[in-house]
Amino acid sequence: MYEGKIMAGAVVVFMPIGQRDALPAWGVTDSDGRYELSTYFSANDMPRGAVPGDYLVGISKYRLPDVERAKEKMSAIGLGSELQRYIAEEAVRDIWPGGVPEGWPDGYIPGITHMPKRILDDEQARNRFSVLLRGVPLLPRRYADPDTSGLQATVDSSKGEPLVFDWECAGEIEAPEPP
């Protein structure tokens, strides 16, 4: 939860304490905040859960651009001046329905239109923009890293029932930082 609200679509990562080369277990929360952990051991299998032990936990959630929505509208519009007007004036609001992040250029749709030259020529703008492409954080940054989140879990399979870990995340969400 973040500030009393369930965070559907958050990625939860369990990193074994003291085993930095071990593979983490991870899952994605549903609309009730529930998740099922998976651990990949190879490209061919997907065992469920986390092995018993102690874990540092990281939780992250990002708002990503909705390019499919813009693509659907562009297909319906077809070629011509109406398409050019849509790209220049409306597309940015369709790919960011929850609000356009500061610094996102009008008329840019990832994978469809070209990134504006002014961003490519300006290293600082390019760095800031590359962060926006990864998404706008919806949780404070410290929670994404198991080492800084302050969250821990102990997995004990001897109880024979699903384990429940409830975490309440709080704090101000920082603007994304360039690399």
Side-chain angles (χ1 to χ4, degrees):
M1 296 181 76
Y2 174 65
E3 296 191 347
K5 296 179 184 167
I6 292 172
M7 293 295 292
V11 176
V12 180
V13 177
F14 278 46
M15 180 62 73
I17 293 177
Q19 300 175 35
R20 285 324 226 175
D21 57 344
L23 295 172
W26 66 278
V28 178
T29 60
D30 65 15
S31 60
D32 294 322
R34 295 185 181 123
Y35 55 94
E36 185 174 321
L37 295 173
S38 297
T39 304
Y40 291 95
F41 292 101
S42 75
N44 298 326
D45 66 358
M46 190 170 91
R48 294 284 180 218
V51 297
D54 295 320
Y55 293 85
L56 296 176
V57 178
I59 304 173
S60 61
K61 181 173 178 170
Y62 294 88
R63 182 168 56 102
L64 301 171
D66 183 1
V67 176
E68 292 305 313
R69 183 173 163 163
K71 285 169 65 173
E72 287 174 13
K73 282 194 175 183
M74 290 170 67
S75 293
I77 292 170
L79 296 175
S81 61
E82 180 60 21
L83 178 61
Q84 292 172 349
R85 186 205 60 75
Y86 169 75
I87 290 172
E89 298 174 12
E90 294 179 36
V92 70
R93 288 188 304 278
D94 283 339
I95 64 174
W96 292 103
V100 180
E102 184 180 333
W104 190 271
D106 290 338
Y108 177 65
I109 304 170
I112 297 175
T113 61
H114 295 287
M115 189 180 301
K117 186 168 175 17
R118 71 180 187 277
I119 290 177
L120 292 173
D121 291 343
D122 179 342
E123 183 179 355
Q124 187 177 24
R126 193 172 59 246
N127 286 341
R128 186 172 55 248
F129 188 71
S130 69
V131 170
L132 288 176
L133 282 173
R134 286 184 252 152
V136 176
L138 298 175
L139 286 171
R141 189 177 304 119
R142 76 170 193 263
Y143 290 109
D145 184 345
D147 288 327
T148 61
S149 71
L151 305 175
Q152 294 190 10
T154 297
V155 173
D156 178 3
S157 61
S158 66
K159 296 178 184 175
E161 57 191 50
L163 300 174
V164 176
F165 301 101
D166 291 322
W167 293 292
E168 174 69 35
C169 300
E172 187 175 330
I173 299 171
E174 309 90 347
E177 283 185 6

